[in-house]
Amino acid sequence: MATDTRDAAPRAKQPARAGGRRRMTPLRFYREVVAELRKVIYPGRTELVTYVVVVLVFVSVMTAIVASLDFGLTKLVLQIFG
């Protein structure tokens, strides 16, 4: 005899919202986002240039490592199976 467990399972309660408040309106959400963005400290020009150079160097080094591994493993596989 088959048992239908879908209706027999106890239902979980809906999680209570923080503070019991209703959802915020899109306008209030937008205002809060703008208020948070005003608190952000953006990097200066020299810091930004430094960060960009660091990222470009890191990406270049990682690309060279991956490309050399790919080239080396390709040569190895062709030597073995080729």
Side-chain angles (χ1 to χ4, degrees), residues 42-56:
Y42 293 98
R45 187 172 195 85
T46 57
E47 288 175 315
L48 187 61
V49 168
T50 302
Y51 296 155
V52 168
V53 169
V54 167
V55 168
L56 289 176

Side-chain angles (χ1 to χ4, degrees), residues 3-81:
T3 304
D4 186 14
T5 59
R6 183 177 297 188
D7 293 331
R11 295 182 184 246
K13 289 184 178 181
Q14 294 291 334
R17 292 192 176 126
R21 293 181 289 167
R22 293 179 33 209
R23 285 183 159 178
M24 71 171 62
T25 63
L27 183 60
R28 181 174 173 199
F29 175 77
Y30 176 75
R31 285 180 183 162
E32 289 186 13
V33 167
V34 170
E36 288 297 320
L37 285 176
R38 285 189 181 129
K39 296 177 187 177
V40 174
I41 299 173
Y42 293 98
R45 187 172 195 85
T46 57
E47 288 175 315
L48 187 61
V49 168
T50 302
Y51 296 155
V52 168
V53 169
V54 167
V55 168
L56 289 176
V57 167
F58 178 77
V59 169
S60 299
V61 168
M62 293 307 295
T63 301
I65 290 171
V66 171
S68 63
L69 284 173
D70 181 46
F71 182 75
L73 291 174
T74 301
K75 290 294 185 183
L76 179 67
V77 167
L78 286 176
Q79 285 286 334
I80 294 173
F81 298 110

